[in-house]
Amino acid sequence: MNVRRLIPATAVAGAVALGLTALSACSTSDAADGGDGGKLKVTASFYPMQFLAERIGGEHVAVTGLTKPGVEPHDLELTPRQIGSISESDYVLYLKGIQPAVDDAIKQSGVKNTVDAATLTTLENHGSEVSGHDHGHEGEGEEHADEHGHEGEEAHEEHSEGDGHNHGEEGGADPHIWLDPVKYAEVAKGVGKSLEKADPDHAADYEKNTETLVAELDKLNTAYESGLKNTATKTFITTHSAFGYLAERYGLTQQGIAGIDPEAEPSPARIQEIHTIAEKEKATTVFFETLASDRTAKTLAKDTGLKTGVLDPLEGITDKSRGADYIEVMESNLTALQKALGAK
């Protein structure tokens, strides 16, 4: 377990108490009250949720993101002010299991319209070959195939019968659903419907905005399908094992470097293993991400004779991002994968 990512429960509880004491009168703010200048006051936990809220909410929402650009979401520590802003919100959109501090604050906020994106699609467990065990979530990658841990599980029972997958049980399922355009589109549809319910006066606009975004995501999915159909290899290596859903969707194999921290040095044994895999599968590239150091990738590349490249897990947009928003960065990721995999 990565110590620097642990947030003391007492600190969270204290900050929650401070935030809620100051804002208890607003803690059950209803959407009908209009929020910020007549707009629905929306809090989004990190960039993939913020993108959905802004695109679907459009002119009717005022969105506050809890994770600033350039901050690794798992490292987020909430200030009393941020906890207070959650409590004042008309609508909160988050992804349970990514940010424990956010999960705790939302649980205690009393906000009526709270949506966990993980309940809007099907979460899965990914083994080490596909999604790795090195992303810093305690116990991620352990098999809990039949356990359920969401309070809102009944909200998506249509996904839960017979598929054998874990649906967002903390510590079991891979939370990186936004990196699969198809799953992200499922989440977008659920967010659209929940916004319609939270703010019925603007339901028609939310529905229209959702349809527009889903069409863009469908187009992105088609681009990935055709762009990765014929490649020299199907294996890519990454320091951040966030791409299990993407790999599964497009028939690829992700090989994550062992270690829970994307910036951790790989062990000599894992370097040798990756070298063997790279030779066998004709892999060419070790990918690193924009929000973490490229040290691990360069070390591995030097020791194995591989190239390095950027594959962005889209946990935040900065001036270093290869695109201005989710769609553009995902297009850049596709280009990077095509190059690394030898697309024909």
Side-chain angles (χ1 to χ4, degrees), residues 99-116:
Q99 299 167 291
V102 174
D103 296 351
D104 290 343
I106 289 171
K107 192 183 295 183
Q108 298 182 54
S109 70
V111 176
K112 185 175 77 171
N113 296 301
T114 300
V115 178
D116 173 10

Side-chain angles (χ1 to χ4, degrees), residues 114-130:
T114 300
V115 178
D116 173 10
T119 65
L120 304 176
T121 186
T122 311
L123 270 68
E124 301 172 10
N125 290 310
H126 288 131
S128 58
E129 185 176 86
V130 177

Side-chain angles (χ1 to χ4, degrees), residues 119-245:
T119 65
L120 304 176
T121 186
T122 311
L123 270 68
E124 301 172 10
N125 290 310
H126 288 131
S128 58
E129 185 176 86
V130 177
S131 73
H133 296 167
D134 63 346
H135 186 36
H137 302 297
E138 185 172 14
E140 183 176 311
E142 294 172 10
E143 296 300 323
H144 302 290
D146 296 314
E147 297 176 23
H148 302 287
H150 273 306
E151 292 172 9
E153 189 64 36
E154 62 274 13
H156 77 235
E157 283 182 353
E158 67 272 15
H159 294 298
S160 65
E161 291 185 18
D163 60 14
H165 293 308
N166 171 290
H167 300 277
E169 191 275 328
E170 280 186 280
D174 179 357
H176 300 90
I177 47 178
W178 67 92
L179 290 165
D180 174 354
V182 177
K183 286 192 175 293
Y184 199 46
E186 289 177 0
V187 174
K189 290 174 186 176
V191 170
K193 289 190 181 304
S194 65
L195 279 171
E196 290 173 39
K197 198 172 178 179
D199 183 19
D201 288 349
H202 302 112
D205 286 344
Y206 296 140
E207 184 178 6
K208 182 181 176 183
N209 292 344
T210 301
E211 288 174 358
T212 299
L213 178 56
V214 168
E216 287 183 48
L217 294 172
D218 288 347
K219 184 179 176 183
L220 183 66
N221 174 49
T222 300
Y224 265 80
E225 280 183 337
S226 58
L228 298 172
K229 195 171 186 180
N230 297 306
T231 56
T233 179
K234 296 293 183 185
T235 299
F236 64 97
I237 301 162
T238 175
T239 57
H240 184 177
S241 296
F243 301 92
Y245 289 107

Side-chain angles (χ1 to χ4, degrees), residues 198-315:
D199 183 19
D201 288 349
H202 302 112
D205 286 344
Y206 296 140
E207 184 178 6
K208 182 181 176 183
N209 292 344
T210 301
E211 288 174 358
T212 299
L213 178 56
V214 168
E216 287 183 48
L217 294 172
D218 288 347
K219 184 179 176 183
L220 183 66
N221 174 49
T222 300
Y224 265 80
E225 280 183 337
S226 58
L228 298 172
K229 195 171 186 180
N230 297 306
T231 56
T233 179
K234 296 293 183 185
T235 299
F236 64 97
I237 301 162
T238 175
T239 57
H240 184 177
S241 296
F243 301 92
Y245 289 107
L246 186 150
E248 187 173 24
R249 176 69 59 191
Y250 304 111
L252 307 176
T253 298
Q254 171 186 242
Q255 287 288 349
I257 300 169
I260 59 174
D261 189 334
E263 297 181 32
E265 294 289 347
S267 69
R270 183 55 174 164
I271 288 175
Q272 184 55 49
E273 189 178 4
I274 290 290
H275 185 61
T276 302
I277 290 167
E279 283 189 338
K280 182 182 176 184
E281 304 296 337
K282 297 182 172 63
T284 65
T285 306
V286 181
F287 285 114
F288 61 95
E289 60 174 285
T290 48
L291 294 185
S293 168
D294 62 357
R295 187 181 67 235
T296 302
K298 286 184 174 176
T299 299
L300 187 57
K302 183 181 178 183
D303 291 341
T304 58
L306 299 172
K307 299 172 187 173
T308 59
V310 172
L311 202 58
D312 194 330
L314 265 157
E315 293 179 340

Side-chain angles (χ1 to χ4, degrees), residues 54-83:
E54 289 173 346
R55 286 295 306 272
I56 295 170
E59 64 183 9
H60 303 303
V61 299
V63 182
T64 300
L66 293 177
T67 309
K68 293 179 181 177
V71 173
E72 219 281 341
H74 315 282
D75 295 338
L76 182 67
E77 295 186 41
L78 296 174
T79 65
R81 181 184 291 273
Q82 284 179 308
I83 291 168

Side-chain angles (χ1 to χ4, degrees), residues 6-28:
L6 287 173
I7 300 165
T10 50
V12 172
V16 167
L18 280 172
L20 294 185
T21 301
L23 294 152
S24 58
C26 308
S27 64
T28 54

